[in-house]
Amino acid sequence: ITVGVDEVPPWDCTAGVQVRWSEEGAQTDLSKARLQARTMRLKKLIGLCVVSGELLDDAVGLEVALTRAAQAKLSYALDDMVVNGTGQRGLGLLSSPARIVVAKEGSQAGGSFVLANAQRMAARLFSGARRRATWLMGTEAFQAVETSFGWPYYQPGTDTSPPRLLGNEIILTEATPTLGTSGDVVLADLSNVLLARRARTDASLHLFFDYALNTFRWTIRCDAMPALSKPITRPHSNNTVSTIVVLEAR
């Protein structure tokens, strides 16, 4: 699958789609889109489970339970690919050349996550991604947020709203590394991640027919990569910003 990606920042006045101030009746200059081709090659992820006919007949809701278990496994595998993929099976956020690694505080304790870290990470996020960005972290980092960050920087979740840090949603995941490791906290615009997938579920009575076994197979063919290939230089400074920002090891 080939996808066209426009990496031209909004402030670039020399390439890609352009806008011009114009007078009434004046001719408008033409511009041409500049798209970068991203090739996505779908990789196969399979779950295969064998169940006896007797168990399938006697256990109420077993097929539903198996499907839920398979979905949970597949979902974690996809999360892990999006976060940790090295390129062989998807290019993850932590391996992307577009990611920006923010330095820790000078006197910061090891294995910690402090408010200044989050503020510095937010400062390196591309402004166009600010509203859509989410924090990805494990329970250890989230515990640090809950116990050390006060209102209004941290807003606890409610029945109708997820927890938020600096206004952006926090998503808890087991895909990020342990607290203190680079990438344990990620601020990213996940809408900027290209994800292609095709899924199907199959069941067979015939594979092990002579054993009276039923076989279930869950298949996802997928690939993922960030759309952005490198950080963007801001228009009025030499600082770079990105849709993927991580914190260095502490």
Side-chain angles (χ1 to χ4, degrees), residues 17-46:
V17 176
Q18 298 294 318
V19 297
R20 308 274 192 249
W21 293 105
S22 182
E23 301 294 336
E24 182 179 355
Q27 183 180 16
T28 302
D29 295 336
L30 295 176
S31 62
K32 185 178 181 181
R34 189 176 73 181
L35 300 179
Q36 304 293 326
R38 298 281 187 274
T39 301
M40 308 182 74
R41 295 179 173 85
L42 303 186
K43 291 84 176 177
K44 189 184 296 184
L45 182 64
I46 297 180

Side-chain angles (χ1 to χ4, degrees), residues 42-49 70-71 74 78 197-203 216-222:
L42 303 186
K43 291 84 176 177
K44 189 184 296 184
L45 182 64
I46 297 180
L48 194 65
C49 182
Q71 288 174 341
L74 293 169
L78 289 176
R197 64 178 180 178
R198 293 172 178 167
R200 62 178 294 166
T201 301
D202 301 287
F216 295 90
R217 183 178 65 193
W218 302 270
T219 306
I220 291 182
R221 296 175 58 235
C222 56

Side-chain angles (χ1 to χ4, degrees), residues 139-162:
T139 53
E140 294 172 321
F142 183 61
Q143 184 179 28
V145 172
E146 283 189 304
T147 56
S148 304
F149 295 29
W151 181 272
Y153 308 108
Y154 167 63
Q155 300 172 23
T158 65
D159 291 339
T160 58
S161 177

